[in-house]
Structure formats: structure tokens, C-alpha cells
Amino acid sequence: MDFSFDGQHLLHHLADGIIIHEQDMILYANEIARIMLGTEIHTDLTQSLFSLRIDPTCREAWLHNGANHSHEADRVKLVDLKLLPEAKPFTHVEALTIPFQGNERLLVTTLRDISEKKRQEERIRHQANYDALTGLPNRGLFLDRLKLELARAKRTDVRVAVMFIDLDRFKWVNDTLGHAAGDDLLREASKRLLSCHRQSDTVARMGGDEFTVILPDMARGPHAERVAAQILEQLAAPFTLEGQEVTISGSVGVTIFPDDADNLDDLLKNADTAMYRAKSQGRNAYRFYTPDMHAEAMARMALERELSSAVEDQELALCYQPIVDLNTNRIAGAEALLRWNHPTLGAVSPEVFIPIAEEMGLIAQITEWAVREACTQACQWRSQYGTAKDFFISVNLTCTRCRELSTDDKIPSILAETQLPPHALVLEVTETILGEDPPKAMAMLNHLKQIGVRLWLDDFGTGSSSLSVLRNLPVCGVKIDRTFVPDALNDKEAEVLVTTIINMGRSLNRILIGEGVETEAQRLYLEGKGVQLAQGYFFGKPCSAAEFPDQFFDH
């Protein structure tokens, strides 16, 4: 069909694209329309199909739009069209179609560039649905996708696995190397997690150092187990952060739909519970949800709530176990042992509530209270009882909290407040204090030594103990672990271990303290080996501050 138009010069200089077409067949296109459609300015589009110039995803809507105009001649048709990649910088146009001069077969469509509008919309959509740091789906998008996957799984009778992943030692990286290193760690960890998964899986960042994964269409085989193992392997490989090689690990919790739960909320709780089980059992591990975890999680949540107020409610207390000088057989000091007297559960073991306090960030408050309480009590006994004028108190510190107490001058301020001489305070640390950041740990220990506090190495012999560890740490005493002393008289291997520890300590001029002494024979054995101090049930069980003087001080 021939077409001529006296206003062609005007049409060629419009800001909008103009095409005249018969359904999908282009009869005329102005200059800007040809550019928008990704062709050279002088390319003749006459007799070509418009639908071939737009993205395939929009063609059906475009063809439907043109076909309906013959029946709805008076209606204005407006449709957004995505363009082909070669049309850049144009990506989208808004197409407005009307009949041409009442002719039902001829249509006029104007193309208005809305590329920037679409880019803005995409930016807003991306910001709303994706994590700005890692580029992974955020919590909102993760939950939307999980809803869709669960609905599809119900229709098709397939399984879906949900994973919770927590980066072990992330807080340490942030605190030690800075937040920039922490951000780098999150970005690199995200890439490694993506490498473990199929394109159909979803890897999302929930916030902080927690990630989640959706594994749809999961076969009955051990696919989730293989993925979890691969995640641990990827996270255990060293990271280079701020020019330093850093090693972390991951704790992974896995739950399966519909085996473990048939709704979204319960699946999320299950995965979180399984992840915390992995973390509490040593980290760098994965755990699948089991029903018994639910009761354990509920009990743990209750303890978390109640532990927060335990200090204010005076539920925490210290018990004191005597430490005896084997040369004089007299009380030399005592170890302060933390106890939680729960109003309904009774005595809660420190092995239960101390890890919870560390995870909740309460260990700082609790440890500071324990050190202050122990120093106050020791100072009172030293001034009140003549036989206690040289009495010392020992307090066990977690390695993480020990560094904080020294660097922020809490120990000196506590000593000044309670008026306890620094040499009357013994802080017990373990060799694991060197595990995370040896330079900072050594600086902390040297600082404590400089202010006059005595340091003992606790649980020596239970880890990767060595002469070099004992030589490098600025400790003046070594405690022989309670698991060795009772067996030393009857078990040849235990006797060799105790003798080795004693020889190592003596060679470096360290005070030796034997734990777990239960009989006179064990006391004599340690005395004969040259051990200076000892504690255990043979000398006295831990007791309250009110009971201690009557049992162990001469009046």
C-alpha cells in the first residue's frame, strides 16, 4: 500500500517515535522511531514486522493490541514495550495506538521513551528486594520466594529444603580487623555460597552474618546433605582480609518441607533451631532438624529471657573452693565459682548458662560482676581474719571477655574500688586464648601482668598443650587438670601426663597447682612431686561466702 503524508518533515523531527502500520506491518516510521527500534537512521522499516523489533516477552501483548483495534476503533491503546538489546540506550517505550483517520485497518502508534523511568523503577525494586552489600535477595524477597516454592511443592508433591547459615567468628573479624574487613568477608562468603547452589536455588542474606538457602525440587537422596557439606568446605577455606589470611567456619541448620513442618513459620524456626544446635556443638558443622530440638529450643529461649535479669534479681552467686598450700597444709586462697540459683529450676550449671551468656552479649556484665564480687569478698576476709592476710582469690575468665576487661581498664578500676592488692587477684585463662588473635591476646596478658595481677594457665594438658605455649604465655602458675590427678596413682598413662606437666612447669619456674584432689594418697603424691598448691574435695567442697570462714579460717 502506498502512503504519502505532507507533514513528513515535521514527523521526522518529533521527539517521539511515530509508526503507521496495518496491524503488525510497518508502513511508515519516522527517524526517532527507527533509532528507538535499534536500526540505522536511514534504514527503511517499510513492510517489516514491528513485533520483530521488540523483546519476545512483549510480542503477544503488542499483537493482541493491534488485533483488537479493528473491533474497538474508538479506544486508545497504551502498552509498555521492552526493546531489543541493540536499541540501547533505549530499553523501554510507551506505545500509544489509535486508529488513523477513522480507517479501521490503519493504526498510528507513538513511541515515547520511558527507559529512565524503567531504570528508576528497577533501582527501587532492587533496593527493596536485594541486599545492598552482597547483592543477594534480602529477607523480604526470600520469604516471598519461599511462599511460592512451598505452594508449588504442595501442588507437585515435592520436597523443599530450607537452610540457615551463620558465619562463625564474624564478630571477631569485625572487632579485630574493622567493619571494612567484615563487609569484605560478607561479600566473599556470598560468592562462595552461590557457587554451591543450582540456578533454581535461592541464596539470601537475612541480615548481619546470617544467610538462608531454599533448595526446591529436592529429591529424596542426600542432596541437602551434600550442599551443606560443600558450604562448610567453602567457608572453611582461608579468606584474605585487609592483607591478612583469616580462617572462619560456618554453622548450618537444615529443615525439610513437608517432613519437618508444612508451613513457612515453623520451617524458619526449625532451621534456626538446627543451626544453633550446630553452633552449640562445636561449630563448623551442619545439623538437620529433629523433633527433640524443639523442646530444647523452648527451654533455651526461657533461659535466655531469665538470664537477662538474673544479675539484677540477685540470682547469680559465687561459691568458693579452698586452695591449699601443700607445704604448710594451710589455706592459701580460693577459687570463685559462678553459680545461678534459678527460682524454679534450682542450680543451673555454668556449662549451660555461660555459653548462652556469651552468645547474648551478657558475659561482659556477668564477668565484671563476678570479678568485683570476688575481689570485695577477698578484701573483706583479708582484713577480718589474721590467717587470711596473704589470702588470694582466683577467677576464671572466658578468653573473649578477658581481653575486654584488660583493654578497657576494668580490672584496675575494680582493684582500686575494692582496695584489693593486685597480687591478691589470680585470673585463670586457657591456652585457647591464643586461638583467634595471638598478638592482641599476648598484649592483654602482658598488660594484666604489668599491673600486678597473677595469671594461671587453667586446664593445661587437655588441649594441644606444649612447652612453647607454656613458655610464651606470661603466666606464673599452671593448673594440672582435674581429669588427670585422680588417675595418676593407678593409670600409667595418666601418671606420665602429670609428671610431664610438672616437669614442664618446673623447668620454666612456674607455680604448680593440682586440681581434683580427692584422697590423702593423691595429696601426698602431688606433694612428693613438688606441686606447691592443690584443690579438690579432699580439702573442701565449694561453699557460700557465709560458710567459708567457719570451715577454713582459724578464728
Side-chain angles (χ1 to χ4, degrees):
M1 177 183 295
D2 293 330
F3 176 79
S4 62
F5 181 65
D6 293 339
Q8 283 192 19
H9 179 76
L10 175 63
L11 293 177
H12 274 292
H13 291 84
L14 288 177
D16 292 341
I18 300 290
I19 64 170
I20 299 177
H21 52 102
E22 184 176 6
Q23 292 191 345
D24 193 32
M25 181 69 69
I26 297 175
L27 306 177
Y28 166 82
N30 70 351
E31 183 175 312
I32 190 64
R34 290 196 289 269
I35 297 173
M36 285 180 173
L37 297 179
T39 63
E40 297 294 335
I41 293 177
H42 300 295
T43 301
D44 185 7
L45 293 179
T46 304
Q47 303 301 311
S48 63
L49 298 179
F50 182 80
S51 60
L52 298 181
R53 301 287 175 177
I54 60 176
D55 190 89
T57 58
C58 300
R59 287 173 185 168
E60 183 177 347
W62 166 254
L63 294 172
H64 179 75
N65 181 38
N68 283 352
H69 261 292
S70 59
H71 306 293
E72 304 175 20
D74 294 331
R75 284 192 59 184
V76 174
K77 295 291 184 177
L78 189 65
V79 61
D80 288 354
L81 301 176
K82 183 179 179 181
L83 302 176
L84 294 173
E86 53 264 31
K88 286 184 177 179
F90 300 101
T91 61
H92 292 80
V93 293
E94 186 179 69
L96 177 67
T97 302
I98 60 174
F100 179 69
Q101 296 180 347
N103 189 327
E104 294 184 358
R105 298 185 60 191
L106 290 181
L107 302 172
V108 177
T109 296
T110 62
L111 305 177
R112 175 158 294 174
D113 178 29
I114 57 170
S115 302
E116 183 56 32
K117 175 188 172 185
K118 288 294 184 181
R119 281 190 285 268
Q120 287 277 29
E121 290 175 353
E122 176 58 25
R123 277 194 289 269
I124 294 172
R125 187 192 70 81
H126 194 275
Q127 290 170 0
N129 292 288
Y130 290 85
D131 175 53
L133 180 65
T134 64
L136 295 178
N138 61 16
R139 181 183 182 88
L141 183 55
F142 167 80
L143 294 175
D144 288 343
R145 290 188 179 179
L146 183 55
K147 289 176 186 176
L148 292 174
E149 291 297 347
L150 295 183
R152 191 167 68 86
K154 288 178 180 178
R155 292 195 307 270
T156 57
D157 193 26
V158 297
R159 289 175 164 185
V160 176
V162 178
M163 293 182 172
F164 269 31
I165 304 162
D166 187 79
L167 303 185
D168 305 326
R169 299 184 70 209
F170 173 74
K171 184 179 184 300
W172 174 83
V173 171
N174 253 348
D175 293 346
T176 306
L177 300 180
H179 290 285
D183 289 348
D184 289 342
L185 173 59
L186 291 172
R187 280 188 286 262
E188 179 59 28
S190 300
K191 295 176 184 177
R192 295 188 186 186
L193 291 175
L194 285 171
S195 70
C196 301
H197 295 89
R198 306 165 298 183
Q199 193 169 1
S200 59
D201 300 339
T202 293
V203 180
R205 182 186 175 208
M206 297 293 271
D209 61 341
E210 288 193 350
F211 296 83
T212 49
V213 175
I214 304 171
L215 302 179
D217 301 321
M218 198 187 69
R220 290 186 175 273
H223 175 64
E225 188 171 355
R226 287 196 300 268
V227 172
Q230 191 176 358
I231 288 172
L232 295 181
E233 182 180 353
Q234 285 288 328
L235 294 178
F239 292 79
T240 301
L241 305 172
E242 299 293 314
Q244 299 186 47
E245 190 173 274
V246 175
T247 302
I248 66 163
S249 60
S251 298
V252 183
V254 188
T255 188
I256 307 297
F257 170 90
D259 304 45
D260 300 328
D262 61 359
N263 64 85
L264 184 145
D265 289 340
D266 286 344
L267 284 170
L268 297 180
K269 291 176 185 175
N270 292 350
D272 192 47
T273 298
M275 184 266 289
Y276 272 104
R277 171 68 69 88
K279 187 175 285 289
S280 67
Q281 292 183 343
R283 309 186 178 191
N284 193 29
Y286 63 85
R287 293 290 182 269
F288 280 76
Y289 174 80
T290 55
D292 66 288
M293 290 183 184
H294 178 73
E296 181 181 309
M298 293 299 100
R300 180 189 173 90
M301 287 175 61
L303 282 179
E304 288 178 355
R305 289 193 303 270
E306 293 155 355
L307 185 58
S308 299
S309 59
V311 176
E312 288 80 2
D313 294 343
Q314 298 183 341
E315 294 174 11
L316 295 182
L318 293 180
C319 288
Y320 300 88
Q321 185 172 33
I323 298 175
V324 174
D325 185 331
L326 292 180
N327 295 320
T328 64
N329 205 33
R330 298 179 69 86
I331 299 296
E335 180 177 0
L337 302 169
L338 188 62
R339 297 290 185 263
W340 181 11
N341 299 312
H342 193 281
T344 56
L345 299 177
V348 180
S349 169
E351 294 182 357
V352 173
F353 72 83
I354 290 297
I356 296 176
E358 289 179 336
E359 289 183 17
M360 294 178 65
L362 292 174
I363 195 64
Q365 177 186 5
I366 291 174
T367 306
E368 186 178 331
W369 172 86
V371 173
R372 179 175 283 103
E373 184 76 8
C375 289
T376 300
Q377 187 62 71
C379 190
Q380 179 182 331
W381 285 336
R382 284 168 63 93
S383 62
Q384 190 172 352
Y385 300 99
T387 55
K389 61 184 178 64
D390 296 322
F391 184 87
F392 67 82
I393 194 75
S394 76
V395 182
N396 225 307
L397 295 182
T398 64
C399 57
T400 53
R401 183 52 189 154
C402 192
R403 180 163 56 251
E404 294 175 23
L405 283 171
S406 66
T407 55
D408 62 10
D409 288 331
K410 283 291 174 60
I411 293 293
S413 65
I414 290 173
L415 291 172
E417 176 187 329
T418 60
Q419 298 184 338
L420 184 72
H423 68 268
L425 174 62
V426 174
L427 297 179
E428 299 185 17
V429 298
T430 64
E431 60 199 80
T432 56
I433 197 167
L434 296 177
E436 293 187 345
D437 190 341
K440 284 197 173 183
M442 290 300 294
M444 175 271 297
L445 293 173
N446 285 321
H447 177 246
L448 289 170
K449 182 179 179 181
Q450 288 168 6
I451 65 177
V453 174
R454 289 188 284 172
L455 301 172
W456 285 357
L457 184 59
D458 195 16
D459 299 337
F460 190 70
T462 59
S464 55
S465 307
S466 67
L467 187 61
S468 62
V469 170
L470 185 55
R471 181 174 62 85
N472 291 330
L473 289 174
V475 296
C476 64
V478 178
K479 297 190 79 173
I480 306 167
D481 189 72
R482 70 184 72 249
T483 57
F484 300 135
V485 173
D487 296 332
L489 296 178
N490 305 312
D491 186 296
K492 186 63 177 176
E493 290 186 357
E495 199 277 334
V496 169
L497 280 171
V498 170
T499 301
T500 301
I501 293 170
I502 291 171
N503 291 337
M504 290 170 66
R506 186 181 294 120
S507 68
L508 295 174
N509 198 30
R510 304 292 193 263
I511 298 171
L512 295 165
I513 307 97
E515 289 188 287
V517 179
E518 299 175 351
T519 65
E520 173 71 9
Q522 292 167 7
R523 186 195 72 80
L524 292 172
Y525 169 79
L526 291 177
E527 183 182 351
K529 289 286 188 177
V531 175
Q532 295 97 327
L533 301 172
Q535 68 184 101
Y537 281 8
F538 176 74
F539 304 107
K541 295 181 179 181
C543 61
S544 69
E547 298 169 325
F548 192 90
D550 289 338
Q551 294 187 38
F552 302 111
F553 290 144
D554 293 333
H555 295 274

